[in-house]
Amino acid sequence: MTSLYDVSIPVYTDITKTTQSILKKGEEHFKSQGKDTSELVFIIVATGRKLIERVTGGSPVDTPMKEYSLSECYELLDTHLGELAKVDRASVDGRDKTEVPCKFGPEEFKASARDYVFGYPVPTAYFHLNMVYALLRGQGVPLGKKDYMAEFMKTFTKA
């Protein structure tokens, strides 16, 4: 049976690792072109931290909204992967029906933790991952579907 932990923390970890991988490829491309790369990432980490808070019932971790340099983006992503890795399955599972808050712009909502995971942080993270991917491709970074899918397919074996 798939649990709340299974559909939240590992999924968010894969999204975060994919973001790192795509950024690294973008950085390499920009360096080879002599271009600067100092603009990207905040929302994926901030939303992931809210996910951890809400599915575990833990304390919020502040993520200051500012423009991050590329090195700060890597540091933020590495830190967030560490935070995700520390989430104990037992602190999440069984909280499916726990009511949690969700703010979308100026509007505030409440949802079960399960509905929250499927309705806000996971779609938000995929949206922003897609934007990073599209922006980098639009700048000529040689990214393909394999770059996007690799982390999600890591458990696959070749037939």
Side-chain angles (χ1 to χ4, degrees):
M1 182 172 154
T2 303
S3 71
L4 184 60
Y5 178 91
D6 294 330
V7 298
S8 60
I9 303 305
V11 172
Y12 222 89
T13 299
D14 290 347
I15 292 168
T16 305
K17 287 181 177 180
T18 301
T19 304
Q20 272 185 321
S21 173
I22 287 171
L23 281 175
K24 285 179 184 170
K25 195 161 186 176
E27 179 184 25
E28 291 166 13
H29 175 77
F30 288 141
K31 281 183 179 176
S32 74
Q33 303 278 314
K35 295 180 182 176
D36 180 37
T37 54
S38 58
E39 42 189 78
L40 303 160
V41 173
F42 166 80
I43 297 291
I44 290 174
V45 174
T47 304
R49 287 177 169 168
K50 287 178 189 168
L51 166 74
I52 292 170
E53 170 197 348
R54 292 180 178 144
V55 299
T56 65
S59 300
V61 176
D62 185 44
T63 310
M65 184 177 270
K66 66 177 193 122
E67 188 171 308
Y68 289 91
S69 69
L70 194 57
S71 63
E72 289 173 315
C73 285
Y74 288 132
E75 186 178 316
L76 196 57
L77 290 166
D78 284 339
T79 299
H80 188 51
L81 285 170
E83 294 163 351
L84 289 163
K86 289 179 187 172
V87 175
D88 179 32
R89 174 184 289 277
S91 70
V92 176
D93 288 346
R95 293 182 46 86
D96 301 59
K97 295 178 182 173
T98 301
E99 192 174 86
V100 298
C102 178
K103 191 170 183 178
F104 189 72
E107 297 180 291
E108 295 186 25
F109 301 90
K110 292 180 183 176
S112 69
R114 183 190 182 287
D115 289 346
Y116 168 75
V117 166
F118 285 113
Y120 190 79
V122 170
T124 297
Y126 278 121
F127 172 81
H128 287 280
L129 171 59
N130 289 331
M131 292 299 102
V132 170
Y133 178 87
L135 288 168
L136 292 174
R137 278 202 49 157
Q139 291 293 315
V141 177
L143 292 167
K145 190 172 184 177
K146 191 172 186 178
D147 295 301
Y148 186 97
M149 297 297 297
E151 193 61 38
F152 303 107
M153 295 175 65
K154 68 182 175 283
T155 61
F156 291 27
T157 56
K158 289 190 177 183

